[in-house]
Amino acid sequence: MKKLILALVLFASLTSCKKSDKAEEPKKIAIVVSTLNNPWFVFLAETAAKKAKELGYESKIFDSQNNTALESDHFENAISSGYDAILFNPTDAAGSVANATKAKAAGIPVFCMDREINSTDAATSQILSDSYSACVQLGKLFVDTLGKKGNYVELLGIVSDNNTWNRSKGFHSSVDNYPGLKMVAQQSADFDRNKAMEVMESILQAHPDIDGVFCGNDAMAMGAYQALVAANKADKVKVFGFDGAEDAINSIKEGKLTATAMQFPKIIAETAATYADEYFKGKKDFPKKLPIAVEVVTKENIDKYIAYGKK
Amino acid sequence: MNITSQRVKLAKFQSTIALLLLCIFLSILSDKFLTVDNGWNVLRQISVNICISVGMTLVVLTAGIDLSVGSILAFSGAVAAGLLKSGISFPENDLFIGFTLLGTILAGVATGSFLGFFNGWVITKFKVPPFVATLAMLTVARGFTMLWTKGYPISSLGTNFAYIGTGWFLGIPILVWIAVVVVIAAMIISNKTALGRYIYAIGGNENAAKLSGINIDKVKIIVYTLAGALAAIGGIMVTSRLDSAQPNAGMSYELDAIAAVVIGGTSLSGGRGTIIGTVLGAIIIGVLNNGLVLLDVSPFWQQVVKGMVILLAVMIDKANSKAE
């Protein structure tokens, strides 16, 4: 019993010690990111962490592994361990609202990055990359490149991911206006390079005569391109990707891929970190939604870009 | 000949019959299915799964399981790719010291073998159930992959390395050659060697095997090491085929491998099954994947169909083993 009391006293003294120190400690920022299994999100999270450090804050990255329940655990941990702000890349537009609301109730500001949540007041601000309208633009370029007629293939990302459908719907809102363009196959390749190559190899057996491929991300575009090379069709078929990843930028430079959509994860992440900084310094009035424009990258303007951003 | 013995005979060829039926069905529905090009496609695509599944079969025969093969595949491939890209250069002497192609491949395979060995060591010396030990390795090896690649793909590995994944030798893709060599080696091990007999004996009845003097721990460690090595070979194959080591490579490959093993008629409780059955299982999955895309079946339905096929295979297998 004595030992227990001693231990409790020791514990209490330690915890109170920590609390009194807290005022001098730098503020802590939690970066909760939907997944780290995709280089794009790794870049987003690391850039946010780097910017937070530059601004003089401690930060920690939490990986939700595309799982809204795990994300909820991260929020609870971040709230209870005294984080002062959350830079948030949500897993799900609807499912993540509750998590952001929880943080808000605890008095912690949430800044959404890249992906939106379906709530106007749960997050302090949402810095968003508009996949839908980017794919509308990309779709227009697709129509022009193929001369308004021909057969094409669409490779979707993970079919349970809402980004997959935002991109697909944006693309089709442009392309479906042209009856000369016929989609001969629409398959999922899970945003994965290997799966895209395999699926494309099979599609090429069924539909050897295609003119274009639209892919929901750059990894799939690279995989599809490799399948086309193996089938000696790479010169004839135009491949479109999405993201602005390093491999895709290099491939556009070399004339292998036709186009991709450049999102600006660096700008998104740095803006979110800067907003958190401003919030700590007293600013409370932020735009509810700040759209970050997405730009179409082709061989013509490739010199302006590097992986995940502008030179 | 009575009906029961006919059923037993039939059961032996059940995977072959299922594959034939599937092929006939697909050739009727699509005139693109039964072509030489498509045949090579399917064989190239399944070659990686065959390598992993062969290792998985050996593990399952001892009544174990290896959930870590997908992560080991990713890490081994990434190690090989990373070493291929790294090296020290001395520009003033026009000298570059780095790994040779063979060196990187061996390093990759050694990495996978070591992780497999570690699985076996933990399972035998600390009596950790294989499911738990390899589940832990699944996470750890994926974490190693992320640390090694920092989350970004390692790409542009050069034409020599890419030749493994895209080249042909004597009219057959290199990837298929690798799978064939692996399968033949595993068939010899399982049918013609003492090790093979021990593997079946342990899966059949571990206590009896122990009493008859078999060094159970040693056999199990060898089996898990082999599974790790074969996953690493798969990792080299995937990396070379894509000319890129992807941090998320091999995700859920363990499930494809287990599916191939189960469809091939190997019992998950150990002691019963064959390498050739697993090869047929892998071909069935490959043909199914290919056929569903050729027929342009919606991606939602594809998942349902694949699951049903696995279930059906095991149900038929159970019914047959009862008859036996």
Side-chain angles (χ1 to χ4, degrees):
Chain A
M1 194 63 198
K2 260 186 194 163
K3 270 187 189 161
L4 185 68
I5 292 169
L6 197 68
L8 278 175
V9 169
L10 200 65
F11 183 69
S13 69
L14 279 176
T15 45
S16 63
C17 210
K18 197 158 185 207
K19 262 202 172 145
S20 62
D21 270 343
K22 207 190 153 191
E24 297 141 38
E25 273 178 9
K27 285 201 184 307
K28 294 196 296 180
I29 298 178
I31 299 159
V32 182
V33 63
S34 61
T35 175
L36 289 178
N37 250 321
N38 176 331
W40 196 91
F41 293 102
V42 175
F43 185 84
L44 182 80
E46 283 178 350
T47 311
K50 204 171 127 201
K51 185 72 186 176
K53 199 179 170 201
E54 273 173 31
L55 293 167
Y57 304 111
E58 262 180 37
S59 71
K60 185 165 182 260
I61 297 171
F62 296 84
D63 176 7
S64 307
Q65 300 177 8
N66 279 328
N67 178 343
T68 313
L70 184 59
E71 179 180 282
S72 168
D73 295 348
H74 289 330
F75 265 76
E76 280 163 13
N77 292 338
I79 292 167
S80 64
S81 51
Y83 280 87
D84 304 284
I86 297 175
L87 309 186
F88 183 30
N89 171 244
T91 52
D92 183 73
S96 296
V97 174
N99 293 333
T101 311
K102 222 167 5 189
K104 193 193 175 193
I108 300 170
V110 174
F111 301 91
C112 287
M113 303 186 287
D114 172 46
R115 292 175 171 184
E116 196 171 349
I117 52 171
N118 296 338
S119 162
T120 45
D121 62 347
T124 306
S125 180
Q126 304 198 45
I127 302 119
L128 305 170
S129 167
D130 189 349
S131 287
Y132 180 88
S133 59
C135 284
V136 173
Q137 290 179 53
L138 213 49
K140 282 182 186 148
L141 179 70
F142 191 84
V143 170
D144 292 341
T145 312
L146 266 62
K148 296 179 185 165
K149 62 176 174 41
N151 295 329
Y152 72 93
V153 169
E154 182 184 4
L155 293 186
L156 299 164
I158 296 169
V159 289
S160 57
D161 183 317
N162 46 11
N163 268 317
T164 297
W165 299 109
N166 280 340
R167 292 174 190 184
S168 180
K169 279 175 192 153
F171 174 77
H172 283 287
S173 76
S174 291
V175 176
D176 290 0
N177 299 324
Y178 298 87
L181 284 165
K182 190 166 163 261
M183 182 166 74
V184 292
Q186 182 187 43
Q187 288 291 335
S188 163
D190 296 344
F191 289 132
D192 179 86
R193 185 156 164 169
N194 189 42
K195 182 104 193 275
M197 185 177 181
E198 292 186 357
V199 168
M200 196 64 210
E201 282 173 342
S202 298
I203 290 174
L204 283 173
Q205 295 298 321
H207 309 285
D209 201 25
I210 59 166
D211 307 287
V213 184
F214 175 71
C215 304
N217 79 344
D218 282 340
M220 293 195 292
M222 296 301 298
Y225 177 77
Q226 275 165 312
L228 289 164
V229 170
N232 287 323
K233 291 183 201 293
D235 300 337
K236 203 184 137 257
V237 183
K238 311 288 180 207
V239 183
F240 286 61
F242 193 101
D243 271 351
E246 189 176 2
D247 282 350
I249 296 296
N250 291 337
S251 295
I252 290 174
K253 217 175 274 173
E254 292 160 14
K256 292 173 174 173
L257 298 194
T258 303
T260 187
M262 175 61 82
Q263 308 189 80
F264 293 96
K266 186 159 188 262
I267 297 176
I268 296 170
E270 288 183 347
T271 308
T274 309
Y275 275 15
D277 178 51
E278 289 171 1
Y279 183 94
F280 295 149
K281 289 175 178 154
K283 185 175 166 184
K284 292 290 173 282
D285 180 32
F286 293 95
K288 279 289 156 200
K289 280 184 187 175
L290 180 71
I292 304 289
V294 180
E295 296 175 16
V296 171
V297 181
T298 61
K299 203 168 184 191
E300 274 70 53
N301 64 7
I302 188 76
D303 292 334
K304 287 196 291 181
Y305 298 94
I306 51 168
Y308 301 128
K310 275 202 168 120
K311 271 181 185 164
Chain B
M1 190 184 274
N2 61 32
I3 292 169
T4 319
S5 76
Q6 271 180 353
R7 275 190 74 168
V8 173
K9 279 236 163 101
L10 202 65
K12 276 197 175 152
F13 297 102
Q14 108 201 357
S15 309
T16 324
I17 295 166
L19 180 59
L20 279 176
L21 285 176
L22 189 63
C23 287
I24 292 169
F25 183 66
L26 286 172
S27 350
I28 294 169
L29 288 178
S30 165
D31 56 341
K32 314 290 182 186
F33 175 72
L34 217 56
T35 63
V36 176
D37 271 355
N38 196 45
W40 285 131
N41 266 345
V42 173
L43 288 176
R44 264 202 313 263
Q45 290 173 7
I46 62 171
S47 54
V48 173
N49 190 21
I50 284 188
C51 288
I52 302 174
S53 310
V54 162
M56 185 69 81
T57 309
L58 298 176
V59 169
V60 170
L61 281 175
T62 67
I65 193 102
D66 189 345
L67 300 178
S68 63
V69 285
S71 299
I72 292 182
L73 173 144
F75 186 46
S76 312
V79 165
L83 293 180
L84 202 60
K85 294 278 274 191
S86 65
I88 316 160
S89 85
F90 301 95
E92 60 272 22
N93 300 334
D94 200 20
L95 192 68
F96 180 82
I97 300 175
F99 278 84
T100 62
L101 188 59
L102 188 65
T104 57
I105 291 172
L106 288 179
V109 175
T111 306
S113 310
F114 177 74
L115 296 182
F117 169 82
F118 188 84
N119 276 337
W121 182 67
V122 172
I123 289 164
T124 53
K125 303 298 175 196
F126 297 92
K127 305 293 172 217
V128 179
F131 190 96
V132 180
T134 59
L135 182 64
M137 183 57 82
L138 173 146
T139 314
V140 171
R142 182 64 61 187
F144 282 156
T145 315
M146 293 316 232
L147 288 168
W148 178 264
T149 62
K150 301 186 179 68
Y152 296 93
I154 304 173
S155 301
S156 302
L157 306 169
T159 47
N160 284 339
F161 188 69
Y163 185 72
I164 303 168
T166 52
W168 295 66
F169 179 68
L170 299 179
I172 293 174
I174 309 262
L175 289 176
V176 177
W177 275 116
I178 297 174
V180 167
V181 170
V182 164
V183 167
I184 291 174
M187 282 171 76
I188 292 172
I189 289 175
S190 65
N191 292 330
K192 305 279 179 204
T193 65
L195 178 65
R197 285 193 298 280
Y198 297 161
I199 290 172
Y200 279 97
I202 291 173
N205 186 336
E206 191 166 327
N207 285 329
K210 202 179 216 166
L211 290 174
S212 64
I214 296 172
N215 185 342
I216 306 230
D217 288 0
K218 192 175 153 195
V219 173
K220 282 192 179 172
I221 289 177
I222 291 175
V223 164
Y224 282 94
T225 308
L226 281 175
L230 288 169
I233 291 173
I236 307 283
M237 290 159 81
V238 171
T239 307
S240 151
R241 189 162 140 83
L242 295 176
D243 191 21
S244 168
Q246 303 276 310
N248 63 345
M251 259 324 168
S252 76
Y253 276 25
E254 61 280 352
L255 300 180
D256 278 345
I258 294 170
V261 170
V262 166
I263 293 176
T266 297
S267 158
L268 279 180
S269 48
R272 195 170 61 89
T274 57
I275 298 291
I276 200 73
T278 297
V279 172
L280 287 170
I283 296 178
I284 289 176
I285 295 173
V287 166
L288 203 59
N289 277 336
N290 171 263
L292 291 171
V293 172
L294 283 185
L295 300 177
D296 216 8
V297 175
S298 120
F300 302 125
W301 275 108
Q302 291 186 17
Q303 303 182 10
V304 177
V305 173
K306 276 184 232 165
M308 297 304 279
V309 167
I310 296 171
L311 196 60
L312 201 67
V314 181
M315 280 160 66
I316 294 173
D317 190 49
K318 280 280 170 202
N320 281 328
S321 59
K322 242 182 216 165
E324 220 168 318

